[in-house]
């Protein structure tokens, strides 16, 4: 045990004192916050520009219902011929010309002759807006021609909102489901990224010591399994330290950014479209209430459990790969079987768990140890029976014990092997030694 503590301390100290580790620990939050600031700034610049659309509507079919706003300005060119209107739009550098022939909105016409002339890629929201206005115009004219009273039809339309309530009386909403999807997906993706980043860190550490022949000296004083576990635990502690610094420093930088640039909610609402402002004002309180109802403490606890479980499971595999090869180039043949289960877990999470978190596919993959850290984390926000969580964790722990034991058998042989490219057949022989 004393040797294991010394190895953990050595690995942790070596990692946190590494210049690259220190630079990336403090530089990464700066880069991320800088990217967020740049995206926000570019979005604000994009929103400030008002699009100018010329409208050629000789029949005055929709000109009266096209209203300019802060994002789009409509200019009536109906008195000109179509060719003259095109030339004027090009000369004045307008964003486009909407041509609406007189017969295009007739009752028996399919409106296929309506054209938006532009040399730039049109904004999808603008296209949707124009199509909705024209479609509504044609629909209303057809309904009136059929003898339908539009006022009575408008009065008859009803919005239905279905409440979601369990048999214990607890109510949820659609917003709650979207929040759970977001938290589950974010936690699963973060877990996958941490496993890959810090697992590779363990593998590179083993390869470095093996290449420098330092491991030959260390292995004479400690058992191979102690050396491997020391590397895994020491690297995990360094990773946790780095993650905590990222969270704290990133939070401070985001606060300073919002303070100095004035990117608070009140100012940001002024740059949002009117529809977004209405939604924010009407549902902000409900959104905050739904977020507060999510059991954050439970999510954090299970995130730590599955992070440690998934990290130990995959890091032992990474350590075995690092011991089996002489350089990082030789690791490529072994990386696909390691990355594939993590990617499979992400795909199952986004396509199966979000669609049906309690379905057969979601349940099965949340029990398989190679995918359970990702899939189960995505299921937790939706509520998982305690026995499924207990069974999943138990299977994961047993799998970690078996994987560490098998990886240690490869590690003890491979760490002293040089100059030979290992194959899967060779690794199987090492397991039988």
């Amino acid at each position: 045990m004393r040797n294991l503590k010394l190895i953990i301390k050595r690995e942790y100290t070596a990692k946190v004192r590494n210049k690259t580790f220190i630079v990336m620990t403090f530089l990464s939050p700066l880069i991320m916050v800088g990217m967020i600031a740049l995206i926000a700034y570019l979005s604000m610049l994009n929103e400030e520009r008002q699009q100018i659309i010329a409208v050629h509507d000789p029949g005055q079919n929709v000109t009266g219902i096209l209203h300019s706003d802060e994002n789009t300005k409509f200019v009536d060119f109906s008195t000109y011929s179509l060719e003259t209107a095109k030339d004027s739009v090009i000369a004045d550098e307008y964003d486009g010309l909407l041509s609406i022939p007189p017969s295009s909105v007739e009752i028996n016409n399919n409106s296929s002759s309506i054209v938006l002339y532009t040399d730039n890629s049109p904004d999808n929201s603008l296209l949707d807006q124009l199509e909705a206005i024209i479609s509504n115009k044609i629909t209303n004219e057809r309904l009136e021609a059929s003898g339908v009273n539009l006022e009575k039809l408008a009065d008859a339309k009803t919005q239905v909102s279905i409440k979601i309530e369990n048999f214990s009386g607890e109510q949820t909403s659609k917003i709650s489901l979207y929040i759970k999807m977001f938290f589950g997906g974010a936690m699963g993706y973060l877990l996958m990224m941490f496993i890959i980043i810090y697992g590779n860190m363990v593998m590179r550490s083993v390869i470095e010591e093996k290449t420098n022949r330092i491991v030959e000296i260390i292995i004479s004083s400690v058992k191979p399994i102690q050396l491997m576990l020391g590397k895994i635990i020491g690297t995990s502690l360094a990773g946790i330290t780095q993650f905590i610094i990222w969270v704290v420093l990133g939070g401070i930088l985001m606060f300073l950014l919002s303070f100095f640039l004035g990117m608070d909610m009140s100012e940001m609402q002024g740059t949002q479209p009117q529809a977004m402002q209405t939604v924010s004002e009407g549902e902000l309180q409900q959104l905050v209430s739904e977020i507060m109802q999510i059991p954050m403490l439970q999510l954090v606890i299970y995130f730590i459990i599955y992070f440690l479980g998934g990290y130990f499971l995959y890091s032992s595999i990474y350590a075995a790969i690092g011991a089996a090869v002489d350089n990082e180039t030789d690791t490529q043949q072994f990386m696909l079987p390691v990355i594939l289960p993590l990617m499979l877990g992400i795909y199952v999470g986004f396509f199966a768990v979000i669609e049906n978190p309690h379905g057969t596919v979601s349940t099965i993959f949340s029990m398989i140890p190679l995918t359970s850290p990702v899939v189960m984390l995505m299921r937790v926000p939706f509520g998982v029976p305690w026995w499924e969580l207990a069974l999943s964790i138990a299977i994961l722990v047993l799998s970690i014990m078996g994987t560490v034991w098998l990886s240690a058998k490869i590690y003890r042989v491979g760490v002293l092997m040089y100059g030979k490219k290992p194959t899967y057949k060779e690794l199987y022989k090492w397991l039988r030694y």
Side-chain angles (χ1 to χ4, degrees):
M1 182 62 69
R2 181 174 177 275
N3 291 335
L4 181 60
K5 290 182 179 178
L6 289 174
I7 296 170
I8 293 173
K9 182 179 179 181
R10 173 185 174 276
E11 287 295 322
Y12 178 79
T13 305
K15 291 291 185 298
V16 297
R17 289 182 178 178
N18 185 277
K19 291 182 179 180
T20 304
F21 183 89
I22 295 173
V23 170
M24 293 308 300
T25 298
F26 291 96
L27 189 61
S28 296
L30 290 172
I31 295 174
M32 292 301 298
V33 174
M35 290 178 60
I36 293 173
L38 178 61
I39 292 172
Y41 177 71
L42 293 176
S43 299
M44 293 171 65
L45 286 180
N46 187 46
E47 290 172 352
E48 289 175 358
R49 183 182 179 277
Q50 186 184 46
Q51 295 186 91
I52 303 178
I53 303 296
V55 181
H56 185 260
D57 183 17
Q60 296 294 304
N61 293 306
V62 297
T63 303
I65 56 177
L66 292 176
H67 303 293
S68 301
D69 54 27
E70 59 182 6
N71 297 317
T72 309
K73 179 181 179 181
F74 295 102
V75 181
D76 189 6
F77 274 30
S78 302
T79 56
Y80 301 103
S81 65
L82 181 58
E83 295 301 323
T84 304
K86 288 182 181 180
D87 295 336
S88 299
V89 167
I90 295 173
D92 296 335
E93 296 183 352
Y94 286 179
D95 293 283
L97 171 65
L98 179 65
S99 174
I100 306 175
S103 61
S104 60
V105 293
E106 291 180 356
I107 295 176
N108 297 322
N109 196 286
N110 61 5
S111 68
S112 60
S113 57
I114 299 175
V115 181
L116 177 64
Y117 296 97
T118 178
D119 289 333
N120 304 319
S121 297
D123 188 358
N124 288 332
S125 61
L126 175 62
L127 283 176
D128 293 339
Q129 176 189 359
L130 295 175
E131 289 175 351
I133 291 174
I134 298 172
S135 298
N136 187 57
K137 171 74 173 179
I138 297 174
T139 300
N140 289 340
E141 289 187 356
R142 289 182 177 180
L143 289 174
E144 287 181 338
S146 301
V148 177
N149 191 318
L150 296 181
E151 294 183 359
K152 291 184 178 180
L153 180 62
D155 294 337
K157 290 182 178 180
T158 305
Q159 294 290 336
V160 177
S161 178
I162 299 177
K163 295 182 178 179
I164 305 172
E165 182 176 333
N166 60 21
F167 292 101
S168 301
E170 298 177 355
Q171 292 186 356
T172 57
S173 63
K174 291 182 179 180
I175 296 178
S176 176
L177 296 178
Y178 290 128
I179 294 173
K180 291 175 181 178
M181 291 178 188
F182 172 77
F183 275 96
M187 288 194 303
Y189 186 78
L190 283 175
L191 180 63
M192 182 197 72
M193 294 302 299
F194 289 157
I195 289 175
I196 293 175
I197 292 172
Y198 297 119
N200 274 283
M201 193 180 294
V202 172
M203 183 180 68
R204 286 194 297 268
S205 176
V206 174
I207 295 174
E208 182 181 357
E209 289 189 352
K210 182 179 177 180
T211 304
N212 296 335
R213 302 296 179 96
I214 299 174
V215 72
E216 296 179 3
I217 301 173
I218 301 175
I219 209 73
S220 63
S221 304
V222 298
K223 294 180 179 180
I225 191 171
Q226 291 179 332
L227 181 59
M228 188 183 76
L229 286 176
K231 284 186 173 296
I232 293 174
I233 298 174
T235 304
S236 67
L237 293 176
I240 292 172
T241 303
Q242 188 179 54
F243 179 70
I244 292 173
I245 294 174
W246 282 349
V247 172
V248 174
L249 187 58
I252 294 173
L253 290 174
M254 286 298 295
F255 174 77
L256 294 175
L257 182 68
S258 62
F259 178 78
F260 286 110
L261 298 184
M263 291 178 6
D264 55 281
M265 288 301 297
S266 60
E267 293 185 5
M268 290 180 67
Q269 285 183 354
T271 60
Q272 292 176 349
Q274 186 64 34
M276 287 295 294
Q277 293 184 33
T278 305
V279 172
S280 298
E281 294 169 0
E283 298 184 353
L284 180 60
Q285 186 175 359
Q286 183 183 1
L287 179 63
V288 174
S289 176
E290 294 290 351
I291 293 176
M292 294 299 293
Q293 291 179 8
I294 293 180
M296 292 295 182
L297 180 60
Q298 182 184 9
L299 295 183
V300 171
I301 291 173
Y302 283 120
F303 179 83
I304 294 173
I305 291 174
Y306 280 102
F307 168 72
L308 293 176
Y311 172 77
F312 271 93
L313 180 68
Y314 279 94
S315 290
S316 58
I317 299 175
Y318 275 108
I321 294 174
V325 300
D326 292 336
N327 52 69
E328 285 195 47
T329 305
D330 295 338
T331 63
Q332 301 306 313
Q333 59 178 323
F334 301 109
M335 294 309 297
L336 181 61
V338 179
I339 300 297
L340 197 59
L342 287 172
M343 298 300 299
L344 181 62
I346 287 293
Y347 282 117
V348 169
F350 281 111
F351 292 102
V353 173
I354 290 178
E355 182 70 23
N356 187 6
H358 304 292
T360 303
V361 175
S362 302
T363 303
I364 291 175
F365 278 91
S366 63
M367 298 298 169
I368 299 174
L370 291 174
T371 58
S372 63
V374 174
V375 178
M376 185 59 85
L377 269 183
M378 291 187 174
R379 290 186 62 201
V380 166
F382 295 94
V384 181
W386 68 267
W387 65 268
E388 288 189 14
L389 284 165
L391 180 60
S392 175
I393 294 172
I395 294 174
L396 182 59
V397 171
L398 292 175
S399 301
I400 291 171
M401 296 171 62
T403 305
V404 169
W405 179 71
L406 291 174
S407 298
K409 291 175 72 69
I410 296 175
Y411 187 90
R412 68 177 183 176
V413 179
V415 79
L416 297 175
M417 288 284 186
Y418 299 97
K420 184 178 181 181
K421 257 189 178 181
T423 61
Y424 287 103
K425 184 177 180 180
E426 193 74 20
L427 295 181
Y428 178 70
K429 288 182 180 179
W430 295 355
L431 289 174
R432 298 183 61 187
Y433 285 165

